Amino acid sequence: MHQRPTAPTVTTGRRRMARKALLAASALGVVTALMAPVRAGAAPAPAAPSAATPLAANGQLSVCGRQLCNASGQAVALNGMSTHGTQWYAKCVTDGSLDALAQDWRSDVLRVSTYVQEGGYETDPAGFTARAQKFVDAAHARGMYAVIDWHMLTPGDPNANLARAKTFFTAMAKKYKNHPGVLYEIANEPSGVSWSAIKSYAEQIIPVIRAEDPDAVVLVGTRAWSSFGVSEGSNESEVVNNPVNASNIMYTFHFYAASHREEYLNTLDRASDRLPVFVTEFGTQNYAGEGANDFTMSQRYLDLMKRKKISWTNWNYSDDHRSGAVFKTGTCNGSTWAGTGVLKEAGVWIRDRIRQ
């Protein structure tokens, strides 16, 4: 893999009414001013999307059976992009780049990746919380869903950052408790730790989120860099036989097509027959997001996900030098984002798949 959480009934009812009001407001045209691009450094209140957007069309999401479903109970699959770490590549998440993602790429969702270590959240909790909220708000203003990614990586035990996670998700859930456009990803890539430890972590974080936001979908990372344990010699059975004790959740799976071959593809196929799965990160390269693209293997994964309505976000929406970053190096210093001229080979390929 890429190595680098029940409120009183009356309160829940009011929250659902507030979420519906946000969506209804767009149909009345009252959010035109809020749809204006976000100025650098600004952190606007969440805006309702315009009527033609994925968020307006689908509304509040929930898990129904093994599927992600919209407000009408119909199975949906979100396709979109993940940011790189916002401590490094915030310059790639701008008014122009998000306009391109929503309008030119026709993306349904933006995954906002807040690294915990590596110069991330632990160095400035308030600052990185505000930054994540700014990017989530900007996605909402363009009618996209936002996955709030707690990008724990090293250490691989999510319990090592339990207190920080509680603080972060309390703040995020308080802000977005009335908004239908968020999904909470509580542990990016656990590694070197048992499924039971990950499950224990999830069962402590999910109630923190649910105390503020009882309706939103929560995404739970799986063992061995979210491979359902395959990268450490296990498989999805450990989750199937011992699921997290919570409702309205999905489990995450990550793959990098040039490294993760038949065993991983078959695991995704089997797991999604038994569990609700969201592929919150994948690449067409090797597990480090580097090297040659394997578009043939990548297409096999995408065909499977399309057939089974599995949502996905691709890694990553930046101009990092690695082949997995969609923009050519230096793009984020400029102002041109739309079209294919600014994209690497992987960027051209994934843009085309999102637009389909």
Side-chain angles (χ1 to χ4, degrees):
M1 293 299 145
H2 187 66
Q3 315 258 335
R4 331 165 273 281
T6 307
T9 301
V10 63
T11 305
T12 301
R14 285 199 294 266
R15 284 168 178 156
R16 285 176 179 152
M17 290 174 65
R19 290 169 190 253
K20 290 178 181 178
L22 277 169
L23 295 172
S26 66
L28 296 173
V30 300
V31 296
T32 303
L34 290 173
M35 290 295 291
V38 183
R39 291 190 182 92
S50 67
T53 66
L55 183 48
N58 291 294
Q60 179 64 53
L61 302 175
S62 63
V63 179
C64 52
R66 296 185 301 276
Q67 302 293 146
L68 183 65
C69 292
N70 65 16
S72 299
Q74 299 172 321
V76 295
L78 306 181
N79 301 157
M81 293 299 301
S82 174
T83 72
H84 205 314
T86 58
Q87 77 274 40
W88 299 312
Y89 290 98
K91 66 179 182 178
C92 298
V93 189
T94 69
D95 301 337
S97 74
L98 293 181
D99 286 344
L101 186 63
Q103 299 162 19
D104 179 50
W105 290 52
R106 305 173 195 164
S107 177
D108 303 315
V109 58
L110 175 71
R111 180 185 188 232
V112 178
S113 294
T114 300
Y115 273 69
V116 186
Q117 276 74 44
E118 300 181 60
Y121 177 89
E122 69 175 359
T123 68
D124 182 7
F128 278 99
T129 299
R131 185 173 298 185
Q133 291 173 346
K134 172 186 170 182
F135 295 153
V136 170
D137 291 345
H140 289 164
R142 290 155 175 84
M144 295 185 288
Y145 289 91
V147 172
I148 298 170
D149 165 32
W150 181 246
H151 207 84
M152 51 71 56
L153 195 59
T154 304
D157 183 354
N159 293 286
N161 286 292
L162 178 63
R164 293 186 179 103
K166 287 182 176 180
T167 299
F168 176 75
F169 282 112
T170 296
M172 299 303 278
K174 279 183 177 179
K175 181 172 175 64
Y176 296 109
K177 62 187 176 183
N178 292 323
H179 204 292
V182 294
L183 302 90
Y184 300 94
E185 183 178 1
I186 62 174
N188 164 54
E189 288 186 345
S191 64
V193 65
S194 68
W195 167 245
S196 62
I198 300 166
K199 178 177 181 286
S200 173
Y201 165 84
E203 290 173 354
Q204 294 176 78
I205 294 295
I206 292 171
V208 169
I209 295 171
R210 294 282 184 249
E212 301 293 339
D213 189 346
D215 298 325
V217 173
V218 175
L219 308 176
V220 180
T222 59
R223 187 153 76 91
W225 299 279
S226 286
S227 69
F228 280 112
V230 178
S231 290
E232 292 175 349
S234 188
N235 58 50
E236 76 284 354
S237 64
E238 63 185 17
V239 182
V240 171
N241 294 331
N242 188 24
V244 171
N245 184 24
S247 60
N248 209 30
I249 67 170
M250 307 185 83
Y251 299 92
T252 67
F253 184 80
H254 294 178
F255 70 87
Y256 284 81
S259 294
H260 302 131
R261 314 299 292 179
E262 299 292 336
E263 184 180 10
Y264 291 81
L265 180 64
N266 292 338
T267 297
L268 175 58
D269 193 10
R270 291 193 312 268
S272 58
D273 282 341
R274 304 290 301 277
L275 300 162
V277 179
F278 194 126
V279 175
T280 52
E281 186 177 312
F282 79 93
T284 56
Q285 315 78 27
N286 68 20
Y287 66 83
E290 299 177 325
N293 294 290
D294 188 336
F295 294 134
T296 300
M297 190 66 185
S298 298
Q299 190 62 54
R300 292 181 63 194
Y301 275 103
L302 263 64
D303 289 345
L304 172 67
M305 292 189 288
K306 182 176 182 179
R307 175 170 59 84
K308 303 185 84 168
K309 292 188 181 300
I310 298 172
S311 298
W312 51 258
T313 52
N314 176 259
W315 183 268
N316 66 80
Y317 203 61
S318 83
D319 66 351
D320 177 52
H321 70 276
R322 296 171 182 85
S323 55
V326 297
F327 292 114
K328 294 176 180 175
T329 302
T331 297
C332 296
N333 294 324
S335 58
T336 300
W337 305 97
T340 59
V342 294
L343 301 177
K344 295 174 188 167
E345 186 182 25
V348 173
W349 191 87
I350 199 64
R351 172 182 174 272
D352 183 61
R353 269 65 189 172
I354 292 174
R355 284 168 59 91
Q356 289 177 0

